[in-house]
Amino acid sequence: MSEIEIRAVRFDAPVAQHLIHAALADLGARYGGTGDDTPVDAAEFEPPDGAFLVAYLAGEPVGCGGWRSHGADTAELKRMYTAPAARGRGVARAVLAAVERSAREHCRKRVVLECGDKQPEAIAMYGSAGYERIPNFGFYKDAEGCVSFGRTL
C-alpha cells in the first residue's frame, strides 16, 4: 500500500476545488440538490483561523478536509471527502488526524461537525475516532437527517 501524504493547500486551489466538487456531487447523489448549501468562504480556511488539507496516494489527490473557526477555541470540520477508488485505505482517518493536529496547533480545544444520516460510513468513522453526538448547529441545525458530532482535542 502506498503511503498517504497530507499537504496543506488553499481552499480555492484547483486541486482542492476538484475534490470539493466531487464531495458535493457525492452528497448531492445521497441527499439531492447541490449536496451542501452551507455558506463557505475560502478565506475561512486560512491560518490561523483554519486550514485545508489534501491527501495524496502515489502522488494523486484522493481526499480532503479542512477546518474553520467556530468560536474562539473550537474548529468546525468541513468538506471531508475520499475518492471512491481510495476508500478503505485509511485516507479519511489520516485526513481527520491531520485536521485535528492542525486545529490543535492553532489553539483549538474542540472539533465539531455536521453530517447527514445517509452517510453511515462517515458516522461510523467519527464514532470510532471518539466523536460524540452533540446538539445540531449551523446551517442544517433544523434539517431532518442532520446529525452533529464533537470531540475534545
Side-chain angles (χ1 to χ4, degrees):
M1 180 186 330
S2 298
E3 185 175 325
I4 300 165
E5 180 187 354
I6 308 287
R7 299 180 203 160
V9 302
R10 291 181 51 91
F11 185 87
D12 56 4
V15 66
Q17 287 299 302
H18 174 76
L19 290 164
I20 290 165
H21 288 301
L24 294 175
D26 181 75
L27 292 172
R30 294 174 194 244
Y31 300 101
T34 64
D36 185 354
D37 293 322
T38 304
V40 173
D41 182 337
E44 296 174 312
F45 296 88
E46 291 294 318
D49 297 319
F52 198 78
L53 308 171
V54 170
Y56 293 80
L57 272 176
E60 293 297 316
V62 295
C64 63
W67 68 273
R68 63 183 182 177
S69 290
H70 186 81
D73 66 352
T74 301
E76 180 185 9
L77 180 70
K78 292 299 295 176
R79 301 298 185 249
M80 278 287 293
Y81 175 73
T82 301
R87 292 180 184 165
R89 298 175 69 183
V91 172
R93 287 188 185 280
V95 171
L96 182 61
V99 166
E100 290 175 343
R101 189 169 39 257
S102 172
R104 195 178 308 105
E105 289 169 356
H106 288 90
C107 302
R108 298 317 188 274
K109 298 184 181 347
R110 182 165 178 77
V111 175
V112 297
L113 66 99
E114 290 179 304
C115 189
D117 62 358
K118 295 179 183 175
Q119 296 168 264
E121 66 283 2
I123 292 169
M125 183 193 70
Y126 295 133
S128 70
Y131 284 76
E132 298 178 346
R133 286 288 307 268
I134 61 171
N136 287 343
F137 67 93
F139 189 80
Y140 289 103
K141 177 181 180 179
D142 298 319
E144 184 178 330
C146 179
V147 289
S148 297
F149 294 90
R151 178 179 183 277
T152 301
L153 296 175

